[in-house]
Amino acid sequence: MPMVRLTVWVRGGVQGVGFRWWTRARALELGLTGWARNTPDGRVEVVMEGSEEACVKLLGLLRGCDTPGRVDGVVERWSEARGSLGGFVER
């Protein structure tokens, strides 16, 4: 199965509520590598690599209603995997 990279920006009340920790836990469950970090404008940026199926699942979870905080919108950008990520970390 081909590997992909997905970069996601999540806006809403997603900082200071455990969103990055929650995202990391879900990503590890799905076997994804990457990271999640707060951005200065209040969003959380998530970069993940893995199977397209696993990335689609995490994207759906990020858009869902069971996340910590409040998600008002999600923007995504798909690209080719670079293979440079190891583990999944909070930045």
Side-chain angles (χ1 to χ4, degrees):
M1 182 173 288
M3 304 298 269
V4 297
R5 176 179 277 231
L6 175 58
T7 304
V8 178
W9 294 271
V10 183
R11 66 179 171 80
V14 291
Q15 291 191 6
V17 294
F19 191 89
R20 290 176 300 142
W21 177 89
W22 180 89
T23 299
R24 178 181 178 272
R26 302 296 79 78
L28 291 172
E29 291 170 355
L30 293 167
L32 295 168
T33 59
W35 46 267
R37 71 173 178 162
N38 290 335
T39 63
D41 63 4
R43 296 178 298 167
V44 170
E45 180 181 21
V46 181
V47 175
M48 63 188 91
E49 284 191 359
S51 70
E52 183 176 356
E53 179 182 2
C55 288
V56 167
K57 285 181 182 178
L58 184 54
L59 179 60
L61 292 170
L62 294 172
R63 287 188 166 137
C65 59
D66 292 330
T67 64
R70 182 192 77 252
V71 174
D72 293 335
V74 175
V75 175
E76 65 191 84
R77 182 180 69 209
W78 293 87
S79 57
E80 292 183 21
R82 299 178 192 165
S84 59
L85 303 173
F88 201 98
V89 298
E90 298 174 56
R91 290 188 173 175

